[in-house]
Amino acid sequence: MEQPRQHLCSVEGCGKAFSRKEHLSRHEKTHDPENILTCKVCAREFNRNDSLQRHLARHGDGFKQAPSGRSKRACIACRAGKIKCNGNDNCSTCLKKGIDCRYRTEDQAPDEPGEQPQNETPNPMPKASMQIDEDPIMILEAPLEAPLEAPLEAPEILPLPFPMPATQPRQVPEGRSVSELAFKLSGPTGLVDWSSVKVLPDQLLNTPDKPVDPTSAQYLDIYFTYFHHRWPIFHRPSFEAEDENTLVVSSAKMIGAWLLGSYEAKEFAVAHEALLEQLLPRLCKITSQDRLQQSLSLAFCQSALLNIIFALYYGKDSAISGAIMLRNILIATLREVEFFKKETAWVDEKPGYFVPMRLVKLGSRQRQVLPIPYLFKIDAYLSVLRDQPAVIFQEELHFSLPSAFGQYNADGLHIWEERQADEPQYRSQKSISKMITENSHEPIPGLEQPMLIEDIQTCICAMQPAIWKVCTPNECQVTAVLEKDSLRRQLNNLKAKLTLILSQFSENPEFGQEQYLPLRYYLGYEDSSQPGWQTAVVARVKSLLFDSMMFYHLSSLQIFAEVRKITNLARDRRLGPIEEVSTVHRQARELRLADMKTWGITPAARWSLCHAVDILVAHQNITHHDGSLGRTIRTLDPISHIAVCTAALVVWVYCTLDIQGCEMCTPGSATFIELTRWSVPGAMYEKEKEAWIEDGNHSRIQLQGIQLCSCNVEYLMALFQGCLPVSWAIADSIAPGIFKFST
């Protein structure tokens, strides 16, 4: 007969009851966030140690807990506290406390072939057998003595960093010395010289196939096709081993569903908006005693960043407000746990840590929660969107440049080895902050440093605080003009780099022979044995170039156009009863109107029109010409949508103020200028364009045959609205009242 359940849980809203008090005590611990246990392999969180141990067993026999029973040894922490220790390499007590588990020398278990090193974090990647010129050796565990930013010097030849097993004495081939077979650590990167090392492909594990939900698989496929190369927040090979119910997987499916765009998929994505409600309270509980990858899990920070980014794709005003709050708290949390401090130490920096796994962890810190460049990038996006100063400082970007996309997404150790040989060495020698500083000055001919597309985006992001400041009313107009000119030159230098990369596609070089940017840096999971596999790589690069060009044009509009005044001018058409009777507000409106009429006849206004038209034409070309690459308006980066709204705002104010007017409104003869004529790539019409910008007040302007005049403003705005996703509601906040939205 079942015993009555008389022990009730005291946590409000739980309602569970137990027949035994010890079961109640065990249950109540699941409500305490301090009892959270994190898997050292995949960062999944658990409330109970037995659940964690069952989960670890799924990673392989090497992670299973030792058989129960009284241990013959105790770790240093348990011995000092005089508490029971289960004697595992990472005992349950230390796992729970999130501290390193260490043993005295006399308590350490003897090493066995293939056994995990004592007190090391379990390695989630299968061990690969390596051999040098057919001589088998043990798994590589070379000490990483060179720092990430060590000066360039000749690599030092080091002896083998570990003894060979006693049963297999080292054999030296005739005519060769031991030093010729040794692993060499290069100065710039601290890595093994892979030219003398052969990594065999990983062995497939005989694990039963998990049932695959076709809908979830479709959402994740969309995520990796259209989103992951723009925002590589997590390590894809590790992600594919994740459980279906983790926060990271749920966030990825949410984004993929939204990009798919069907009614059912959008409903699924919006339903997952509740993920935001789980993230904010947890982050608010973090204190200075917590540490990233310990009590503050990396997966949790990944999920937070993904949800911030999703808010811009979603485009709902309330979602973006929540994302801004989440961004502020996430950055404050990372500062509180000393994440941005240069001297913070990490477990994978220990000598002997497995090199590929160390790079994965380093890449995780750089890509998943750091503003290098993705938290930094979304911070800049939100700054532009809300016209607010950015939160992250350039001085906090002391981390080295992240590895290239292809290297970070290598599917298997053997592929990792191939791509590592081509990885640009300068990326481990230079910090993000140093790269930004170097590109803020005029380049010296012949000494230009190579840059990936992501680096150029990061430099444009770094300009946003200066752009925001120079657009703030300044009493000294001369200073403002000089600062704007300096920013314009910086942007043009960055655009020149993008143009060089873009020119590769018109030259049609053989794949792998590109002069300015090797496309191999953007390899993913493509199968090179299949025909046409290069198409996905080219689409990846072109989409990043498109995003960067739109960010360039948008930043130029911020400098040349009075975007704040134009936005307020658009808002003035929706006055409330208090604003209508306010004398102060009326005077501000009159001043704005006068300022914009003066601005409309300046070269800055004509520069702004050129950038606005370039944005429009680029988006229209996607609809008409890029169908083969799978790009659609819906899958574009949100910075492109912000650029379209800002461009529409510039054309709208030019029309509304009747700067030139059409033949009906202002009769008279004048020369007609078609603005799209100058959107053709190349320098064919560059002089003609510059001449019009300097003195073009005597010409009538038309855009795709429509004259810029107040009587044509609705037709012109329809052109820009056609380049926006139908459901992107935040457009009405960026460009108030200039689009016609269906209700």
Side-chain angles (χ1 to χ4, degrees):
M1 182 177 179
E2 185 180 358
Q3 297 180 5
R5 300 191 174 188
Q6 54 185 352
H7 301 285
L8 299 176
C9 179
S10 59
V11 177
E12 183 178 356
C14 179
K16 288 190 177 181
F18 301 88
S19 57
R20 299 177 61 178
K21 189 173 182 179
E22 56 267 28
H23 292 172
L24 172 63
S25 300
R26 183 178 63 182
H27 164 76
E28 287 180 335
K29 290 180 181 180
T30 64
H31 292 295
D32 186 357
E34 295 183 358
N35 286 308
I36 296 297
L37 300 173
T38 305
C39 175
K40 298 294 185 178
V41 181
C42 65
R44 186 176 176 184
E45 297 178 346
F46 298 88
N47 296 102
R48 290 168 48 179
N49 183 55
D50 55 343
S51 300
L52 172 62
Q53 298 305 327
R54 284 196 299 270
H55 167 78
L56 282 172
R58 298 176 61 184
H59 289 297
D61 294 338
F63 301 100
K64 287 185 178 180
Q65 189 176 21
S68 59
R70 181 169 297 277
S71 172
K72 296 181 180 180
R73 60 176 186 158
C75 69
I76 295 175
C78 293
R79 186 180 296 276
K82 296 183 178 180
I83 57 178
K84 183 179 179 181
C85 179
N86 60 13
N88 291 338
D89 288 347
N90 288 285
C91 76
S92 58
T93 303
C94 292
L95 281 174
K96 181 176 178 181
K97 293 181 178 180
I99 62 177
D100 285 343
C101 186
R102 300 179 181 276
Y103 288 86
R104 300 183 305 176
T105 305
E106 58 268 29
D107 289 336
Q108 291 185 2
D111 292 338
E112 297 179 2
E115 186 180 352
Q116 282 278 56
Q118 188 77 326
N119 302 329
E120 290 287 339
T121 303
N123 180 13
M125 301 178 63
K127 287 195 173 183
S129 57
M130 301 184 184
Q131 54 188 26
I132 303 180
D133 298 333
E134 308 304 325
D135 294 322
I137 62 171
M138 293 176 62
I139 189 71
L140 171 64
E141 291 176 355
L144 302 177
E145 309 237 344
L148 283 178
E149 297 192 23
L152 184 61
E153 59 185 11
E156 179 185 1
I157 306 297
L158 299 179
L160 285 172
F162 42 76
M164 298 297 288
T167 56
Q168 296 180 0
R170 187 184 311 173
Q171 298 293 330
V172 180
E174 184 178 356
R176 301 184 64 181
S177 65
V178 175
S179 61
E180 291 178 38
L181 299 178
F183 293 108
K184 296 181 289 184
L185 302 182
S186 68
T189 61
L191 297 179
V192 172
D193 179 12
W194 291 101
S195 62
S196 61
V197 179
K198 180 179 180 181
V199 181
L200 300 182
D202 298 336
Q203 298 298 319
L204 296 177
L205 301 177
N206 294 324
T207 55
D209 293 335
K210 296 186 295 184
V212 178
D213 177 18
T215 303
S216 296
Q218 183 184 24
Y219 294 161
L220 291 177
D221 182 63
I222 294 292
Y223 175 93
F224 286 115
T225 302
Y226 298 110
F227 184 88
H228 184 61
H229 63 284
R230 289 184 168 107
W231 306 91
I233 305 302
F234 49 71
H235 184 235
R236 182 176 180 181
S238 301
F239 171 86
E240 294 188 342
E242 284 277 340
D243 188 89
E244 282 280 324
N245 298 319
T246 61
L247 272 175
V248 175
V249 176
S250 297
S251 300
K253 289 193 292 186
M254 171 185 68
I255 293 171
W258 183 260
L259 294 179
L260 181 60
S262 66
Y263 176 80
E264 295 79 7
K266 289 167 65 176
E267 287 293 312
F268 173 87
V270 173
H272 278 68
E273 191 180 0
L275 287 172
L276 195 66
E277 300 175 2
Q278 302 181 37
L279 297 168
L280 281 170
R282 290 278 299 278
L283 283 175
C284 291
K285 294 180 180 179
I286 298 299
T287 69
S288 60
Q289 303 302 314
D290 293 289
R291 287 293 177 269
L292 186 67
Q293 293 179 311
Q294 294 180 17
S295 49
L296 175 60
S297 75
L298 201 55
F300 188 81
C301 294
Q302 292 173 333
S303 303
L305 184 51
L306 286 172
N307 279 267
I308 295 170
I309 299 168
F310 171 71
L312 266 71
Y313 280 88
Y314 185 19
K316 187 178 178 182
D317 193 84
S318 60
I320 291 176
S321 297
I324 290 174
M325 297 299 296
L326 182 57
R327 173 206 60 178
N328 295 342
I329 295 174
L330 178 60
I331 293 172
T333 298
L334 293 174
R335 285 172 176 158
E336 191 67 13
V337 300
E338 300 183 349
F339 185 70
F340 294 109
K341 286 190 175 181
K342 192 172 184 178
E343 61 271 18
T344 300
W346 304 97
V347 65
D348 51 274
E349 294 173 343
K350 294 189 296 185
Y353 205 89
F354 187 46
V355 175
M357 198 60 214
R358 176 180 183 271
L359 291 184
V360 168
K361 286 184 174 291
L362 177 63
S364 296
R365 290 196 295 274
Q366 292 175 331
R367 294 179 179 271
Q368 294 164 357
V369 292
L370 276 181
I372 311 176
Y374 305 106
L375 185 54
F376 188 54
K377 180 177 170 182
I378 198 64
D379 183 35
Y381 282 16
L382 292 172
S383 171
V384 175
L385 179 64
R386 293 299 203 198
D387 190 22
Q388 298 173 356
V391 178
I392 299 171
F393 299 103
Q394 177 186 329
E395 291 74 15
E396 293 178 301
L397 310 181
H398 57 79
F399 306 88
S400 60
L401 290 164
S403 55
F405 177 85
Q407 172 70 10
Y408 189 66
N409 288 272
D411 183 22
L413 202 55
H414 59 297
I415 298 177
W416 182 91
E417 177 222 2
E418 294 173 1
R419 296 181 183 177
Q420 176 61 35
D422 295 326
E423 183 75 0
Q425 289 189 351
Y426 74 89
R427 304 197 68 76
S428 61
Q429 304 172 22
K430 187 180 297 185
S431 69
I432 295 290
S433 179
K434 183 178 179 181
M435 179 198 69
I436 293 170
T437 302
E438 289 178 352
N439 284 276
S440 64
H441 307 299
E442 290 289 334
I444 301 175
L447 297 179
E448 296 91 345
Q449 290 292 324
M451 296 179 72
L452 299 184
I453 304 173
E454 304 93 305
D455 301 337
I456 299 174
Q457 290 179 347
T458 301
C459 288
I460 299 177
C461 290
M463 295 179 64
Q464 294 310 308
I467 293 175
W468 183 86
K469 185 177 180 180
V470 79
C471 293
T472 304
N474 193 334
E475 294 182 359
C476 183
Q477 295 298 320
V478 176
T479 302
V481 170
L482 292 175
E483 290 177 350
K484 286 185 177 181
D485 187 62
S486 175
L487 291 170
R488 177 187 61 81
R489 291 198 303 270
Q490 287 184 48
L491 280 174
N492 288 341
N493 291 335
L494 294 171
K495 184 201 174 184
K497 296 178 184 293
L498 292 172
T499 304
L500 278 177
I501 299 172
L502 196 59
S503 66
Q504 295 180 160
F505 297 101
S506 59
E507 297 169 0
N508 294 320
E510 184 180 351
F511 192 92
Q513 302 298 320
E514 301 83 15
Q515 180 178 358
Y516 303 110
L517 178 73
L519 297 186
R520 65 176 179 271
Y521 294 154
Y522 296 93
L523 295 173
Y525 272 32
E526 294 79 29
D527 184 357
S528 58
S529 64
Q530 298 297 320
W533 66 273
Q534 301 95 332
T535 303
V537 184
V538 172
R540 201 172 286 138
V541 174
K542 283 191 172 182
S543 64
L544 289 172
L545 284 170
F546 183 88
D547 300 343
S548 304
M549 278 295 188
M550 292 304 102
F551 203 3
Y552 157 76
H553 288 303
L554 175 59
S555 300
S556 298
L557 286 179
Q558 291 177 278
I559 295 173
F560 291 118
E562 301 286 346
V563 177
R564 290 179 187 170
K565 290 182 180 179
I566 300 175
T567 305
N568 287 328
L569 209 61
R571 290 196 183 110
D572 289 343
R573 300 181 303 157
R574 297 176 171 179
L575 296 178
I578 297 177
E579 288 86 356
E580 287 181 347
V581 299
S582 171
T583 303
V584 175
H585 202 279
R586 177 179 54 80
Q587 293 174 347
R589 295 197 303 270
E590 292 172 352
L591 181 61
R592 275 195 292 270
L593 189 60
D595 288 344
M596 293 315 301
K597 286 184 176 180
T598 303
W599 169 84
I601 59 175
T602 63
R606 292 188 284 277
W607 266 117
S608 301
L609 281 175
C610 291
H611 284 292
V613 173
D614 285 343
I615 291 171
L616 175 65
V617 171
H619 280 78
Q620 290 177 334
N621 286 340
I622 281 185
T623 305
H624 298 147
H625 304 297
D626 280 6
S628 60
L629 298 178
R631 280 193 291 174
T632 64
I633 294 298
R634 184 175 189 82
T635 59
L636 293 179
D637 191 73
I639 201 65
S640 302
H641 307 330
I642 300 173
V644 168
C645 294
T646 308
L649 205 57
V650 170
V651 174
W652 171 83
V653 74
Y654 205 91
C655 294
T656 303
L657 299 179
D658 284 323
I659 303 299
Q660 296 296 338
C662 64
E663 294 173 305
M664 299 295 295
C665 298
T666 54
S669 60
T671 305
F672 284 92
I673 298 293
E674 173 56 56
L675 292 176
T676 55
R677 174 186 177 90
W678 298 321
S679 294
V680 178
M684 186 183 305
Y685 303 110
E686 196 65 29
K687 290 185 178 179
E688 178 182 311
K689 173 183 174 181
E690 291 177 357
W692 174 76
I693 288 172
E694 289 302 319
D695 186 20
N697 288 323
H698 307 294
S699 304
R700 298 189 189 276
I701 308 169
Q702 59 184 17
L703 175 56
Q704 296 183 352
I706 305 174
Q707 294 185 37
L708 269 63
C709 178
S710 57
C711 58
N712 295 327
V713 67
E714 290 189 10
Y715 302 105
L716 291 166
M717 293 304 100
L719 294 177
F720 287 92
Q721 189 171 354
C723 298
L724 291 171
V726 176
S727 55
W728 209 65
I730 197 64
D732 194 51
S733 175
I734 303 171
I738 71 172
F739 297 127
K740 301 292 184 182
F741 291 99
S742 58
T743 56

